[in-house]
Every structure is written in C-alpha cells, then in structure tokens.
C-alpha cells in the first residue's frame, strides 16, 4: 500500500508562483512514471505534467513554459513548480503513481485575478 501526500497548494495572485510536493511512501518514485493532474470545477480531471523513471517529461500545452515537473529519488518526492499562474490554473491538483494507479488526496490551488 503506497501513500501519497501532496502539499504546497494555496491562494496566490495571478502571475505568482507555487511549488507543489508529492511525498510517497517506499521508493516508488524512482521506478514509476509519476504525474500531476488537476480538476477544476465543472471540468474533468486532466493531465498537467508527467515524468518517467528515466527523467523524460511531458506537459499539457496549456502549461508549457510555465510549469516544471521534477523528482528527487532520494527524498521519494515529486515536485511541480508553477510560475506565471493564471486564474484558469485554479483546480485541485493530484499526484499519480502510474505503475500502481494510485492517487494522492489532492491539494487546492487557487489563483485570483
């Protein structure tokens, strides 16, 4: 049983930055593709960014150039650095372990105009 704890969400002004963290139990981050998804009110959950165990990354077009996903295998943690935040980035952000199909509890990000 893997546990994922997301943190770093909050309320920021448009143009501001946040860094989300996803701390996982065990050593799963080093051997599984990891991802960040988000779900805004009235919308379906969507992929924001993912990173493979080899370090390759992919991003949704809407966040390219603004968000960066990274991992620290020693800390068993995945990060999402979010810069130049926009009101449309407002959502609950979820961490995912692909190999297990596991999800974190989510962390709220709210960007005010």
């Amino acid at each position: 049983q893997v546990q994922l704890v997301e943190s770093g969400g909050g309320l920021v002004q448009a143009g501001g930055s946040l860094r989300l963290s996803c701390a996982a139990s065990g050593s799963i981050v080093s051997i599984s593709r990891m991802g960040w998804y988000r779900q805004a009110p009235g919308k379906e959950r969507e992929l924001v960014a993912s990173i493979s165990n080899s370090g390759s990354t992919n991003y949704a077009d809407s966040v390219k150039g603004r968000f960066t996903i990274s991992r620290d295998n020693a800390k068993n943690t995945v990060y999402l650095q979010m810069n130049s935040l926009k009101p449309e980035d407002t959502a609950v952000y979820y961490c995912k372990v692909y190999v297990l199909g596991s999800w974190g509890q989510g962390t709220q990000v709210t960007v005010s105009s």
Side-chain angles (χ1 to χ4, degrees):
Q1 182 177 358
V2 67
Q3 292 185 325
L4 303 172
V5 180
E6 296 112 325
S7 62
L11 173 64
V12 297
Q13 297 287 102
S17 298
L18 285 173
R19 188 181 72 163
L20 306 183
S21 298
C22 174
S25 62
S27 300
I28 196 66
V29 169
S30 65
I31 62 174
S32 173
R33 188 177 192 89
M34 304 290 294
W36 285 99
Y37 288 69
R38 67 186 182 188
Q39 188 165 20
K43 297 184 178 180
E44 297 185 5
R45 190 172 298 185
E46 64 178 352
L47 174 68
V48 176
S50 67
I51 183 168
S52 74
N53 59 314
S54 64
S56 62
T57 60
N58 70 286
Y59 298 90
D61 288 341
S62 60
V63 306
K64 286 181 179 177
R66 300 189 297 121
F67 291 9
T68 303
I69 188 171
S70 62
R71 68 202 302 157
D72 186 331
N73 291 340
K75 296 182 178 180
N76 216 29
T77 301
V78 175
Y79 304 95
L80 184 67
Q81 178 66 46
M82 305 185 294
N83 299 325
S84 301
L85 283 162
K86 305 175 181 179
E88 50 262 46
D89 294 318
T90 295
V92 177
Y93 284 70
Y94 299 91
C95 180
K96 181 180 181 180
V97 181
Y98 280 65
V99 73
L100 299 176
S102 300
W103 297 87
Q105 85 288 348
T107 184
Q108 176 71 48
V109 172
T110 303
V111 184
S112 62
S113 60

